[in-house]
Structure formats: C-alpha cells, structure tokens
Amino acid sequence: MERGSFGTKIGVILATAGSAVGLGNIWRFPYMTGENGGAAFIFIYLICVFILGIPGMIAEFIIGRHSAANAVRAYKNMGGKCWSYVGLMGAITSMIILGFYAVIAGWCLQYLYAALMGNIGGDVTSVQNYFKEFVSNPIEPIVWTITFILITHFVVTKGVKKGIEKVSNILMPTLFVLLLIIVISSCTLPGAIKGIEFLFYPDFSKVTSKVLLDALGQGFFSLSLGTACLCTYASYFSRQTDLLKSSIQIAGIDTIIAIFAGLMIFPAAFSVGVNPDSGPALIFITLPNVFQQAFGSLPVFAYIIGVLFYALLALAALTSTISMHEIGTAFFFEELHISRKKGAWIETGICICIGILCSLSQGAAKINIFGVDFLSCCDFLTSDILLPLGSFLTCILIGRVVDKHVVKDEFTNWGTVSRSFYAIWLFGIRWVCPICIIFVFLHQLHII
Ligand code: PHE
C-alpha cells in the first residue's frame, strides 16, 4: 500500500496554507471583525494566532510526521490505544465540518453562477429575498452541495502529489491575485479610508470578554486546529521540513489573507454607508448590494467584481474541503485496507448525507435539534466543542504523555534547526495553550 507525500517545500506550504485559508478567512473573519468592533478584535486575534495557533499547529505536525499514518493510527502510535479515539474524533469532526461547509461553499457556487448570469443585485429587499428563497429551496442548494463535494472528491482521488499539491499550487496564487484586485478596487473608492481606519485603529474600550474569546475561537477555526487535518497533512511531510518555520509561514499566509478579506469588504461597505455588522449573512446579503452601489457608476466593473468575489470564495473553500476530505480518505484507505478510491467514496457518501440534512434544514424541511437547525447544530458542535477539545487533548498528548526526546527530535529535526525555541514552545504547549483552551471552552458553553 503506497502512501503519498508532498513533492516540494513550496507544495507543503501552499497545500497546508490552502487548508487554513478558506471560508473562515473570507466569510467568518470579516463578519466576526464587524460584530466585534474592528481593529481591537484583529489585534487580539493576532496575539491568539501567535501564542496559541502556532504552537498548537506544531504539536499536530509532530504527531503526523512522526507516525506517517492516518490520524487515528498516528494518535495511537504516539500515546497508545485510548489516544486513537482522539484521532477518530478528529476524523469525525472533519466529516461534520465538511458536511456543512460544503453547503455554504455550494451557496458560493450558486452565487458565482448568478453573478455570471448578471442575476444578483437590485435593492436590499430583493437581495434578501433572493437569499431566503434560494436557501429554502429543497433541490437547488443540495445539487450545488453535492457538486462541491464531488469536485473535492475528484481532486483527492488524484492523490497527494498529483491532486492536492498540484491543485493547491495553482489555486493559492490565483486566490491571492483575485483578492488583490478586489482589495485595490475597494480601497480606492471614495470614503474608503473610514473602512481602513475601522480595521487598523484599535479602540480598546470596545474589548469585552466576548471579543477576546471570539478571537480565540476564530483562531482555531481559521488555522484548521483540532480536526487532525494538520496531522494528516504532516504525515506527508519529509524529515527535512522545518516545522517551526513552516507553521509561521502558514499562519502568516492565513492571517494576511484574512486581513486582505477585511480590506476587501470594509472600505467598500463604509464607502456606501453600510454597517458591516450583519453577521453570517454579510457576504450573501450585504455584499452584493455594497458592490453594486460602490461600483454602480460602472456596471461592467460591478459585474466583474461580483464574479471575481464569488469565484474567490469557491476556490478558497475548495482548498479547505480537500484537506477535510483527505483525513477520512486516508483513514478508510489505510485502516480498512481498501483502495484510496474506495476510501474516498466512503468519505464522500457520508459527507453528502450530512450535507443534504444541513441544506434541507435551512428552510425546506424542519430538521432541528433542541430547537436549532441542523446546520447551526453541526457548526456549534464542531467549532465550539470538538475543535477546542481536540486541540486541548493534542496539547496534553504532546506536552505531557509522549517521550520528551521524540518531541524534541521532531521539533528540532534531530538537533539541526530551531533549537533555541524548543523550551519556549514546550512551555506554551504544556501551560499556555491548555489553559487558554479551557477558558474558551467554558465560555463557549456559557459556563463563564
Ligand atoms: N481553516 C478552514 C477555514 O478557514 C476551515 C477548516 C477547519 C479546514 C477545520 C479544515 C479543518 O475556512
């Protein structure tokens, strides 16, 4: 049974950054920033990425690279049988995330199609109605969801080097260029400066415990922490990959793209006097209108920006769904001793079922759990419970269970790199990360 591996250093960085960069950056980060008052939230977010994200990412990398196996076997290798359940939890978490993430990615495909056809726009009420009617349709969103999962499936079955790495090497630079075009257009609008100020001049009087903890939660989701996703990708890393340097580069790319997403949305929103605090619907309800008003004097330009924007979202989502799909595919392939193709089909089948339920719960059918629709339930269960729990247990495994020599050898590439940072990182993994995670966890569950 042949395991794949990434072929080049840049391939490692782009594929892993591709997992991190997704709807979390372009959909979730801007609305979180909007809801939490702007620059002060970003400032705290940056601190979280630095003290929590980078050390946590390295811990997952160590488990994956040391074991060179799927997540379940990797956790078992490092800590014994009971730790394999943490890997399994990661694989299940990623299936659930993929299920609902593909629904939102499917909406992006529909909006891309509608933007191409010139069908998005009109006044605020018609944009709102368009969204409501579309998501509560029983067929269309499901077709887009399944299409998105099948595209992901197709890339994953091509293998690690020829599928995941190759597609990431093309998509990531494309995504960056598209983003840059929209950022420049948005920042040169009249009155855009107010949006830029909103992003970069912090008002610390607005910092509440919610802002602090939302920033931490956003950090987990955006860096794909706690799902065994980074661990699975690291199982394809070579012994020469510098884990500290790579994690800094990946977190750096992820953060730059999130800030660029802010620079794309807020200057345009402020320029037309729209308040950017409309929550999760920001990019589907508020933005079509913002683009239309902002670039209204040049309809062709408004059309191009709309198309580019939804293309950008779909591409960013794809590099993330590929990484989520790979966790389950590698697991089924290696543990059930079947072909990679068959493993991928099992993962695809499960995710399509979850996706259909999530999609239907948006209005077409009443699929509620404790009065909350199924999609929101999946989001809550994964982002607020399973991700922090997975990260917490990973920190405990690496910081307190695994032999220190193994950990040190992996961190320093057998004494050749980053030796002086080892002690600081270990302190972070043993103390800072677990304590912060417990704090987020209790807050998310409204215990503190
Ligand atoms: N990090 C991805 C994003 O920002 C989401 C993700 C979560 C991907 C967990 C993989 C695993 O959109």
Side-chain angles (χ1 to χ4, degrees), residues 324-381:
M324 296 176 217
H325 198 290
E326 178 59 26
I327 307 175
T329 301
F331 168 65
F332 293 122
F333 162 53
E334 289 170 13
E335 298 304 312
L336 301 183
H337 306 289
I338 51 178
S339 67
R340 204 181 140 83
K341 250 199 182 127
K342 276 196 191 135
W345 274 119
I346 300 180
E347 172 79 10
T348 297
I350 297 174
C351 294
I352 286 181
C353 294
I354 300 175
I356 290 177
L357 292 177
C358 287
S359 184
L360 287 175
S361 74
Q362 293 308 291
K366 252 203 153 22
I367 307 175
N368 289 348
I369 299 178
F370 300 125
V372 181
D373 73 84
F374 192 69
L375 190 148
S376 309
C377 262
C378 290
D379 187 7
F380 171 78
L381 178 70

Side-chain angles (χ1 to χ4, degrees), residues 169-179 312 315:
N169 285 350
I170 301 169
L171 292 193
M172 289 305 285
T174 313
L175 193 139
F176 195 75
V177 173
L178 292 186
L179 194 55
L312 171 76
L315 295 186

Side-chain angles (χ1 to χ4, degrees), residues 89-252:
M89 186 176 86
I92 295 173
T93 308
S94 66
M95 278 174 206
I96 304 175
I97 299 186
L98 180 50
F100 78 78
Y101 200 94
V103 173
I104 300 170
W107 297 351
C108 297
L109 283 185
Q110 158 69 25
Y111 269 67
L112 172 61
Y113 174 72
L116 271 170
M117 295 294 150
N119 287 343
I120 289 192
D123 54 33
V124 180
T125 342
S126 61
V127 176
Q128 231 159 11
N129 288 343
Y130 179 87
F131 180 71
K132 272 196 200 132
E133 264 168 40
F134 168 66
V135 297
S136 56
N137 182 306
I139 310 283
E140 264 180 76
I142 292 184
V143 173
W144 288 116
T145 303
I146 296 178
T147 308
F148 206 90
I149 297 179
L150 289 179
I151 298 173
T152 308
H153 172 98
F154 177 74
V155 176
V156 171
T157 47
K158 289 264 166 216
V160 178
K161 210 176 291 178
K162 289 203 190 117
I164 300 176
E165 183 171 349
K166 201 166 160 195
V167 168
S168 306
N169 285 350
I170 301 169
L171 292 193
M172 289 305 285
T174 313
L175 193 139
F176 195 75
V177 173
L178 292 186
L179 194 55
L180 211 58
I181 297 175
I182 310 180
V183 167
I184 294 171
S185 321
S186 176
C187 288
T188 46
L189 287 169
I193 191 74
K194 273 197 235 132
I196 300 174
E197 275 172 13
F198 179 76
L199 277 174
F200 294 117
Y201 286 101
D203 173 0
F204 287 106
S205 65
K206 286 189 181 146
V207 176
T208 58
S209 74
K210 179 182 177 290
V211 173
L212 213 90
L213 296 156
D214 272 354
L216 274 172
Q218 172 63 19
F220 279 126
F221 190 83
S222 191
L223 293 176
S224 316
L225 280 174
T227 54
C229 182
L230 300 172
C231 159
T232 305
Y233 268 21
S235 72
Y236 307 122
F237 285 6
S238 82
R239 300 266 153 209
Q240 280 77 43
T241 306
D242 180 340
L243 301 185
L244 175 66
K245 200 165 138 198
S246 305
S247 66
I248 293 174
Q249 286 167 339
I250 293 158

Side-chain angles (χ1 to χ4, degrees), residues 401-434:
V401 177
V402 177
D403 180 352
K404 290 286 141 323
H405 294 108
V406 171
V407 174
K408 191 170 183 182
D409 280 347
E410 286 290 344
F411 184 91
T412 61
N413 280 1
W414 294 267
T416 55
V417 294
S418 325
R419 277 178 304 193
S420 39
F421 295 102
Y422 174 69
I424 307 177
W425 168 77
L426 192 66
F427 178 77
I429 283 297
R430 286 174 66 94
W431 297 103
V432 185
C433 296

